[in-house]
Amino acid sequence: MTVQLIKQTAEDADVTFAARVSTQGGEARFNEASDKDAGLINYLMRDRHGSPFEHTSMTFYIEAPIFVAREFFRHRVGWSYNEESGRYKELQPVFYIPGRDRKLVQVGKPGAYEFRTGTGAQYRTVQDNMSTLYEDSYYAYRGMLSEGIAREVARMVLPVGIYTSFYATCNARSLMHFLGLRTTDPESKFPSFPQREIEMVAEEMEKVFAGLMPVTYGAFQKNGRVAP
Amino acid sequence: MTVQLIKQTAEDADVTFAARVSTQGGEARFNEASDKDAGLINYLMRDRHGSPFEHTSMTFYIEAPIFVAREFFRHRVGWSYNEESGRYKELQPVFYIPGRDRKLVQVGKPGAYEFRTGTGAQYRTVQDNMSTLYEDSYYAYRGMLSEGIAREVARMVLPVGIYTSFYATCNARSLMHFLGLRTTDPESKFPSFPQREIEMVAEEMEKVFAGLMPVTYGAFQKNGRVAP
Amino acid sequence: MTVQLIKQTAEDADVTFAARVSTQGGEARFNEASDKDAGLINYLMRDRHGSPFEHTSMTFYIEAPIFVAREFFRHRVGWSYNEESGRYKELQPVFYIPGRDRKLVQVGKPGAYEFRTGTGAQYRTVQDNMSTLYEDSYYAYRGMLSEGIAREVARMVLPVGIYTSFYATCNARSLMHFLGLRTTDPESKFPSFPQREIEMVAEEMEKVFAGLMPVTYGAFQKNGRVAP
Amino acid sequence: MTVQLIKQTAEDADVTFAARVSTQGGEARFNEASDKDAGLINYLMRDRHGSPFEHTSMTFYIEAPIFVAREFFRHRVGWSYNEESGRYKELQPVFYIPGRDRKLVQVGKPGAYEFRTGTGAQYRTVQDNMSTLYEDSYYAYRGMLSEGIAREVARMVLPVGIYTSFYATCNARSLMHFLGLRTTDPESKFPSFPQREIEMVAEEMEKVFAGLMPVTYGAFQKNGRVAP
């Protein structure tokens, strides 16, 4: 999976200048970042004043399987998307097969699943079934295309394990909301049970975010990873 | 495909009472619907005063292939969704194969495609490739499940032609926006090129909408099917 | 202040049928509400699965001063508004003066204010200044109107204490978010410091909500009044 | 009134790279802007493909009267706000009085008002009434503050003509929607009747936008100023 930051305007000072307009009016924007900024950002996070975190923008380019994109695009507020289209272009034969470290076995009840490492045999079952089916599906896809069938029809046989690519633009608030739901972390006040594959994407985005806005990120961690 | 209206609070009078609060204050809500209502609704539609159309709610239950749901869920504003989860339940072997009347051949450029009826041979190619691949994919899916592989992993082989089910709640404004983009209609001021399968869903929703809010629907038609 | 429920489609069963489509697919909607429903709703609230709460709709008619409406309309997501317009109609001379029980004195720092009861003299100061200024402002407003000045210009002198009226439509999720921020309550996990006047509106809306969706409301209380 | 661009990441190339991911996948982002870009942007605007315009961000600092801010904040989708608070800070005595060129007289019906220049006497009426009332209101405000009344209470007497300040962040799509509704322009396909004062703010924002994204702006003009 690929996660690239394409462009951004997102730094900790964006949060504090926006917050200070409440208490100081417009003069606030001329202030330099100061020692008080970390305190202010922590206060905003803790008491859930979310709007100052929205005056930021990050655009990511992401390559991930369709089943990940499906979960991703459920985030509606503060997110913008443009995705590769199976109607407009011929899709490439790139498919996802879980790595050897992917836990394959799920135990427990919905909402509280636990995952355990599979056996060697289980891993081979996954690898064999996926390789074969992926190949067959792409063969059928190409076969229909070569008979003159429209791309939007032929693609119906392609599995959700095929890769897609998309741009996603968010702000710090919508990103923190996403991270809170799509990662597991011991610091989290609320438990989440994301599928491992979207968590892998989220972890890459989290690194980018932590680098761009370290004070905001620190406050997010300190306050239980609950988006303000 | 299945489209059922589950519940609603959506009638033409909802639009006019909300609009009249602007000009008359709260007394407006005690007025009976009158001859003036059609004129007011038409004016709101024409001059694109959209907010009065939002005080309505329609919840649909929909069964459609994943490739349709993927397009559907791109509508973010004024839409709420809950969908069957391949992580929480075993998916059923119900797949979409285009009917004999589905135009299979696409000509022209992106953004201005035209579709033409396929030959008998082309239709058979589609039917054969899809039947075989769908069956193989479900066989691989079930095979992995029987080896103890987690549902969320096994499902990666399932094609986007498999059916999913979901609830979608919208208001009259967000529904009209959807209809404007996901149907073709000679009355449309702006051309749209939806995939036929999502248009089939949209057409069913349009019938429901026309029945619930006939005056609003009439104004939508009259004004070029541009959502206000 | 006036808060009236105008119409709704909002009951606890709406939450559970939407949630169960994830785990059971479409059959879920035929189930009767059962003993398990309270458990499911509590689980959704606790683990912050918010989307099933969105398939509900409540429309309120509200009369409140402009300074309250200003705070109210900052809630953007899951809210629709139509308001009386000072451009389209002549505003009526109805103004807000705090009641004798309104705490008038504020101590402490921003973000952690405390309010204390004012003295009799302080209350009279408020009452006198407001009565006089409100009257003078309306006199100036009427005077300009009688000279042929447009309503949208004349209204510039009207104070934010004048009443306005509006319709507001929300769903259970957006309403809980509003209630969490615009009320104070010992059960709250996150402290809020709303202005008393918007809290008065919020308290009325909360009563309506508790009546319509008692199980959801109970889970909201039990889980620290944090919207899912 | 003050309109300042504080920061941005918004250029025409942002639109085309996002759009081309549909047809070319991820390679698109490495392309240089080309002669084809204007054609693509015009096509997206004309056929109302709005999402590629969302991968942009502009943050404005604005000083305007409360009655303008009230209209501004009705724009919910794709807009973020932080505003000076009358609860947290003492408001300054800066008020709006229409300039000599402001048309003061309104004729016609709601939805189709026309404005005409006032007489000298009318202009003096406005100026006198506003000056006096503004001064009186601020005197009452200061009087209550000096008696120890909380800012959030004392401010109730301040008129909607007093200035406030706020940050507003939007993207190119939400900005075009705003411009389409809050300006009048002979190129507009749909008539709008904004209050002149918010139009003055919108016109300044439009100049900034035209400078940052000239090709997008040209397509907006060419296609009737209808946001895609």
Side-chain angles (χ1 to χ4, degrees):
Chain A
M1 280 177 255
T2 300
V3 174
Q4 289 178 3
L5 180 69
I6 297 295
K7 62 185 194 120
Q8 51 82 15
T9 167
E11 51 181 315
D12 290 317
D14 297 334
V15 180
T16 53
F17 80 66
R20 290 212 173 98
V21 78
S22 298
T23 51
Q24 301 177 20
E27 312 102 64
R29 75 189 181 283
F30 304 115
N31 292 347
E32 284 298 296
S34 76
D35 293 353
K36 288 183 183 168
D37 283 5
L40 175 56
I41 287 174
N42 191 60
Y43 155 75
L44 295 169
M45 193 77 71
R46 192 196 68 209
D47 280 11
R48 311 197 72 206
H49 296 286
S51 55
F53 297 95
E54 295 179 23
H55 304 279
T56 52
S57 180
M58 290 163 268
T59 298
F60 293 92
Y61 171 72
I62 295 168
E63 292 176 0
I66 282 179
F67 68 86
V68 169
R70 292 244 296 147
E71 296 190 324
F72 204 121
F73 291 7
R74 298 300 289 273
H75 295 263
R76 296 158 294 168
V77 178
W79 286 91
S80 296
Y81 303 107
N82 276 87
E83 188 191 2
E84 186 180 346
S85 166
R87 303 183 67 205
Y88 290 153
K89 76 182 283 283
E90 189 178 317
L91 301 178
Q92 295 305 301
V94 186
F95 296 92
Y96 176 78
I97 294 181
R100 192 63 188 86
D101 55 340
R102 207 312 185 173
K103 292 177 178 172
L104 295 176
V105 180
Q106 149 189 295
V107 293
K109 293 192 309 174
Y113 290 132
E114 249 182 82
F115 279 82
R116 304 213 179 129
T117 306
T119 62
Q122 283 177 318
Y123 183 69
R124 278 189 301 278
T125 292
V126 166
Q127 202 173 35
D128 291 351
N129 273 288
M130 290 192 181
S131 310
T132 305
L133 193 284
Y134 286 162
E135 200 168 321
D136 291 351
S137 72
Y138 201 74
Y139 187 82
Y141 175 61
R142 287 286 308 155
M144 286 187 277
L145 291 182
S146 70
E147 297 292 329
I149 306 301
R151 287 187 290 272
E152 69 178 33
V153 173
R155 61 133 168 210
M156 294 174 194
V157 298
L158 292 173
V160 296
I162 197 170
Y163 271 77
T164 185
S165 62
F166 58 94
Y167 290 96
T169 295
C170 60
N171 61 53
R173 187 184 197 180
S174 58
L175 180 54
M176 287 188 282
H177 191 77
F178 175 87
L179 296 177
L181 290 170
R182 301 299 183 181
T183 61
T184 53
D185 190 295
E187 299 301 318
S188 286
K189 201 175 276 179
F190 296 97
S192 290
F193 302 94
Q195 179 152 352
R196 177 61 193 147
E197 282 77 15
I198 195 168
E199 189 181 29
M200 289 158 67
V201 172
E203 285 171 353
E204 292 305 307
M205 297 172 78
E206 184 161 338
K207 281 179 211 161
V208 170
F209 175 52
L212 290 171
M213 302 180 70
V215 180
T216 299
Y217 180 69
F220 177 59
Q221 284 291 96
K222 190 173 162 187
N223 288 281
R225 296 173 66 86
V226 181
Chain B
M1 281 177 257
T2 300
V3 175
Q4 289 178 2
L5 179 70
I6 298 296
K7 63 186 194 120
Q8 51 82 16
T9 166
E11 49 181 315
D12 291 316
D14 297 334
V15 180
T16 53
F17 81 66
R20 291 213 172 97
V21 78
S22 298
T23 51
Q24 302 177 17
E27 311 102 64
R29 74 189 182 284
F30 304 115
N31 291 348
E32 286 298 296
S34 76
D35 292 354
K36 289 182 182 169
D37 283 5
L40 175 56
I41 286 174
N42 191 60
Y43 155 74
L44 296 168
M45 193 78 70
R46 192 196 68 210
D47 280 11
R48 310 196 73 207
H49 296 286
S51 56
F53 297 95
E54 295 179 23
H55 304 279
T56 51
S57 180
M58 289 162 269
T59 298
F60 293 91
Y61 170 72
I62 295 168
E63 292 176 0
I66 282 179
F67 69 87
V68 169
R70 291 244 296 146
E71 296 190 324
F72 205 120
F73 291 7
R74 298 300 289 274
H75 295 265
R76 296 159 293 169
V77 179
W79 286 91
S80 296
Y81 302 108
N82 277 86
E83 188 191 2
E84 186 178 346
S85 166
R87 302 183 68 207
Y88 291 154
K89 75 183 284 284
E90 189 178 318
L91 300 179
Q92 295 305 301
V94 186
F95 297 91
Y96 176 79
I97 294 181
R100 191 63 189 84
D101 55 339
R102 207 310 184 176
K103 293 174 178 173
L104 296 177
V105 181
Q106 149 190 293
V107 294
K109 293 193 308 176
Y113 289 132
E114 251 181 80
F115 279 83
R116 304 212 180 131
T117 306
T119 62
Q122 282 177 318
Y123 184 68
R124 277 189 303 279
T125 291
V126 166
Q127 201 172 36
D128 291 351
N129 273 288
M130 290 192 180
S131 309
T132 304
L133 194 284
Y134 286 162
E135 200 168 322
D136 291 351
S137 72
Y138 201 74
Y139 186 83
Y141 175 61
R142 286 285 309 154
M144 286 188 277
L145 291 183
S146 71
E147 297 294 328
I149 305 303
R151 286 186 291 272
E152 69 179 33
V153 174
R155 62 139 166 204
M156 295 174 193
V157 297
L158 292 174
V160 297
I162 197 171
Y163 271 78
T164 185
S165 61
F166 58 93
Y167 290 96
T169 295
C170 60
N171 61 53
R173 187 183 196 180
S174 58
L175 180 55
M176 287 188 282
H177 191 76
F178 176 87
L179 296 177
L181 290 170
R182 302 299 182 180
T183 60
T184 53
D185 190 294
E187 300 301 317
S188 286
K189 201 176 276 179
F190 297 98
S192 289
F193 302 94
Q195 181 153 351
R196 177 61 194 147
E197 282 77 14
I198 196 168
E199 189 182 29
M200 288 159 68
V201 172
E203 286 171 352
E204 293 304 308
M205 295 171 79
E206 184 161 337
K207 281 179 212 162
V208 170
F209 175 52
L212 291 172
M213 301 180 71
V215 180
T216 299
Y217 180 70
F220 178 58
Q221 285 291 96
K222 188 172 162 187
N223 288 282
R225 297 175 66 87
V226 181
Chain C
M1 281 177 256
T2 300
V3 174
Q4 290 178 3
L5 180 70
I6 298 297
K7 63 185 194 120
Q8 50 84 15
T9 166
E11 49 182 316
D12 291 316
D14 297 334
V15 179
T16 53
F17 80 66
R20 291 213 172 99
V21 78
S22 299
T23 50
Q24 302 177 16
E27 311 102 66
R29 74 189 181 285
F30 304 115
N31 291 348
E32 285 298 296
S34 75
D35 291 354
K36 289 182 182 169
D37 283 5
L40 174 57
I41 287 175
N42 191 61
Y43 155 75
L44 296 168
M45 193 77 71
R46 192 196 69 209
D47 280 12
R48 309 196 74 207
H49 295 286
S51 56
F53 296 95
E54 295 179 24
H55 303 279
T56 51
S57 179
M58 289 163 268
T59 297
F60 293 92
Y61 170 72
I62 295 169
E63 292 176 0
I66 282 179
F67 68 87
V68 169
R70 292 245 294 148
E71 297 190 323
F72 204 121
F73 291 7
R74 299 298 289 273
H75 295 264
R76 295 159 294 169
V77 179
W79 286 91
S80 297
Y81 303 108
N82 276 87
E83 187 192 2
E84 186 179 345
S85 165
R87 302 182 68 207
Y88 291 154
K89 75 182 282 283
E90 190 179 316
L91 301 179
Q92 296 304 300
V94 185
F95 297 91
Y96 176 78
I97 294 182
R100 192 62 189 86
D101 54 339
R102 208 306 185 176
K103 292 176 179 172
L104 296 177
V105 180
Q106 151 189 293
V107 294
K109 293 192 309 177
Y113 290 132
E114 250 181 80
F115 279 83
R116 304 212 179 130
T117 306
T119 62
Q122 283 177 318
Y123 183 69
R124 278 188 302 277
T125 292
V126 166
Q127 201 173 36
D128 291 351
N129 273 288
M130 290 192 180
S131 309
T132 304
L133 194 283
Y134 286 162
E135 200 168 322
D136 291 352
S137 72
Y138 201 75
Y139 187 82
Y141 175 61
R142 287 284 310 154
M144 286 187 277
L145 291 183
S146 70
E147 296 293 327
I149 306 302
R151 286 186 291 271
E152 70 179 33
V153 174
R155 63 140 167 201
M156 294 174 193
V157 298
L158 293 174
V160 296
I162 197 170
Y163 272 78
T164 185
S165 61
F166 58 94
Y167 290 94
T169 295
C170 60
N171 61 52
R173 187 184 196 180
S174 59
L175 180 54
M176 286 188 282
H177 191 76
F178 176 86
L179 296 177
L181 289 171
R182 301 300 182 180
T183 61
T184 54
D185 189 296
E187 300 301 317
S188 286
K189 201 176 275 179
F190 296 98
S192 290
F193 302 95
Q195 180 153 349
R196 177 60 194 147
E197 282 77 15
I198 196 169
E199 190 182 28
M200 288 159 68
V201 171
E203 286 170 354
E204 292 305 308
M205 295 172 79
E206 183 161 338
K207 281 179 211 161
V208 170
F209 175 52
L212 290 172
M213 301 179 71
V215 179
T216 299
Y217 181 69
F220 177 58
Q221 284 291 97
K222 189 172 162 187
N223 289 282
R225 296 175 66 86
V226 181
Chain D
M1 280 177 257
T2 301
V3 174
Q4 289 178 2
L5 180 70
I6 298 296
K7 63 186 193 119
Q8 51 83 15
T9 166
E11 50 181 314
D12 290 317
D14 297 334
V15 179
T16 53
F17 80 66
R20 291 213 172 97
V21 78
S22 298
T23 51
Q24 301 177 19
E27 312 102 67
R29 73 189 182 284
F30 304 115
N31 291 347
E32 284 299 295
S34 76
D35 292 354
K36 289 182 183 169
D37 284 6
L40 174 56
I41 287 175
N42 191 61
Y43 155 75
L44 296 168
M45 193 76 71
R46 192 195 67 209
D47 280 12
R48 311 196 72 207
H49 296 285
S51 55
F53 297 94
E54 296 179 24
H55 304 278
T56 52
S57 179
M58 290 162 267
T59 298
F60 293 91
Y61 170 73
I62 295 168
E63 293 176 0
I66 282 179
F67 68 87
V68 170
R70 292 244 294 148
E71 296 190 323
F72 205 121
F73 290 7
R74 298 299 289 274
H75 295 263
R76 295 159 295 169
V77 179
W79 286 90
S80 296
Y81 303 108
N82 276 87
E83 188 191 3
E84 187 180 345
S85 166
R87 302 182 67 205
Y88 291 154
K89 75 181 283 283
E90 189 179 316
L91 301 179
Q92 294 306 299
V94 185
F95 297 92
Y96 176 79
I97 294 182
R100 192 61 188 85
D101 55 341
R102 208 305 186 178
K103 292 176 178 172
L104 296 177
V105 180
Q106 151 190 293
V107 293
K109 294 191 308 175
Y113 290 132
E114 249 181 81
F115 279 83
R116 304 212 178 130
T117 307
T119 62
Q122 284 177 317
Y123 182 69
R124 278 189 301 277
T125 292
V126 166
Q127 201 173 36
D128 292 350
N129 273 288
M130 290 193 179
S131 311
T132 304
L133 194 284
Y134 286 162
E135 199 168 323
D136 291 351
S137 72
Y138 201 75
Y139 186 83
Y141 175 62
R142 286 286 308 154
M144 286 187 277
L145 291 183
S146 70
E147 297 293 328
I149 305 303
R151 286 187 290 272
E152 69 178 34
V153 174
R155 63 139 166 202
M156 294 174 194
V157 297
L158 293 174
V160 296
I162 197 170
Y163 271 77
T164 185
S165 61
F166 58 94
Y167 290 95
T169 295
C170 60
N171 61 53
R173 186 184 197 181
S174 58
L175 180 54
M176 287 187 282
H177 192 77
F178 175 86
L179 296 177
L181 290 171
R182 302 299 183 180
T183 60
T184 53
D185 190 295
E187 299 302 316
S188 286
K189 201 176 275 179
F190 295 98
S192 289
F193 302 95
Q195 181 152 351
R196 177 60 194 147
E197 282 76 16
I198 196 167
E199 189 182 28
M200 289 160 68
V201 172
E203 286 171 353
E204 292 305 307
M205 297 173 78
E206 183 161 337
K207 281 180 211 160
V208 170
F209 175 52
L212 290 172
M213 302 180 71
V215 180
T216 299
Y217 180 70
F220 177 59
Q221 285 292 97
K222 190 173 162 187
N223 288 281
R225 297 174 67 85
V226 181

